[in-house]
Amino acid sequence: LHLFTLPSASSRLSGETPTPKSDSMAESSPNAEAAALVDELATTRPLNKDLRELAKKHAKQHELAAYLWSKRGFHARMLSLLILDMKRVDVAHIERLISDLETVTDPKEQSQLLDWMIANVIMKKPPLKAGTTEWRADKSLLKQRVFWGVHARSVKAENRELNEELLGYIENGLADAPEKVKWNMNWCAAQIGIADEKLRGRCIALGEKLRLYEDYPTPKGCTSPYLPSWIWAVVAKKGG
């Protein structure tokens, strides 16, 4: 698909002024193919691996990504995030997407879309990661979750000063944080405890003190989100 004239969707995502369509362009427009793709996604509800295969066929089709996002369907939006032209994505663009996600009423789908955006968009471009550094205390809980999610994915043992700063915030705020933000803060604490041996004891002590997620139902073969269990399980797996 080569979509060049999807005014409402493309202008919303890219912030650019769309090219007006002539009648002849309207007649030959491939929008029917895009609409068919939306219907297919809604009907088949593809798995993440299937979405990645579809993304290979539609890579960097920014206007198609905008169209899919505008349709609001969960799978359409998941695919949309995979086919963005990253050269055209800036922090303001991410903020618009987050604003749209604020209106998603299904909490599970909202979380999946947010995590997918962190992993497949924000983490792929350093300026986008840098643009989230002021979101720790943002009024938007989704932006706070992005802040902690980005840092959780970026923890390195050699970044001792940053690790200590983040852990200090977590120690002071985890107990009273909103539930969805709490999950991402706990994730970041786990990654610090896994990566940074000198801070590991503090991370484990925090988990033992708060007992957060101690009784969380964990499927067989998965790792518990309870900090002591999580940290020791991964460290042992790595031979630490």
Side-chain angles (χ1 to χ4, degrees):
L1 295 176
H2 298 285
L3 304 182
F4 301 101
T5 52
L6 297 168
S8 61
S10 61
S11 58
R12 178 163 180 75
L13 262 75
S14 67
E16 298 176 3
T17 302
T19 304
K21 289 200 286 188
S22 67
D23 290 341
S24 61
M25 289 174 69
E27 290 174 2
S28 61
S29 170
N31 289 0
E33 295 179 50
L37 177 58
V38 171
D39 291 340
E40 178 188 350
L41 290 166
T43 302
T44 61
R45 302 179 65 82
L47 300 174
N48 289 354
K49 63 181 181 67
D50 300 318
L51 288 171
R52 292 192 183 280
E53 286 301 313
L54 273 174
K56 293 177 183 178
K57 300 178 183 178
H58 303 291
K60 296 185 180 180
Q61 292 195 39
H62 203 74
E63 284 75 20
L64 176 57
Y67 179 77
L68 293 174
W69 186 266
S70 75
K71 296 293 107 176
R72 297 176 177 267
F74 172 70
H75 293 90
R77 283 186 162 178
M78 291 283 278
L79 179 58
S80 170
L81 292 169
L82 294 179
I83 64 174
L84 289 166
D85 181 351
M86 294 298 293
K87 292 180 181 179
R88 297 170 64 178
V89 180
D90 57 15
V91 176
H93 186 147
I94 295 298
E95 290 182 304
R96 290 194 295 274
L97 298 184
I98 291 175
S99 179
D100 287 341
L101 291 182
E102 299 277 8
T103 67
V104 175
T105 56
D106 186 313
K108 183 177 180 181
E109 290 189 355
Q110 185 188 63
S111 290
Q112 285 184 278
L113 284 164
L114 190 72
D115 290 343
W116 196 250
M117 181 175 65
I118 293 171
N120 296 288
V121 183
I122 296 175
M123 296 300 296
K124 302 296 185 183
K125 191 172 182 178
L128 298 181
K129 292 172 60 177
T132 69
T133 56
E134 302 299 321
W135 292 0
R136 181 181 61 81
D138 196 277
K139 63 181 181 180
S140 165
L141 296 185
L142 291 189
K143 284 188 174 181
Q144 290 184 37
R145 289 166 63 184
V146 169
F147 173 90
W148 290 109
V150 168
H151 280 293
R153 291 178 177 274
S154 305
V155 169
K156 294 181 180 179
E158 58 267 28
N159 294 339
R160 174 61 46 74
E161 185 175 346
L162 176 59
N163 294 342
E164 289 206 48
E165 180 182 357
L166 291 171
L167 183 54
Y169 285 131
I170 295 169
E171 289 171 325
N172 291 327
L174 181 58
D176 299 320
E179 186 57 39
K180 291 294 185 179
V181 178
K182 185 177 292 186
W183 182 270
N184 285 37
M185 292 175 73
N186 187 74
W187 176 22
C188 190
Q191 298 311 307
I192 292 172
I194 291 165
D196 195 327
E197 187 175 2
K198 292 187 177 180
L199 296 178
R200 186 171 298 156
R202 282 173 59 184
C203 295
I204 291 172
L206 176 63
E208 292 173 338
K209 175 184 177 182
L210 298 181
R211 312 189 82 82
L212 183 64
Y213 306 128
E214 183 178 22
D215 299 318
Y216 192 86
T218 305
K220 185 177 180 180
C222 296
T223 303
S224 168
Y226 176 52
L227 280 176
S229 300
W230 189 349
I231 292 169
W232 285 125
V234 177
V235 169
K237 188 175 181 179
K238 291 183 175 182

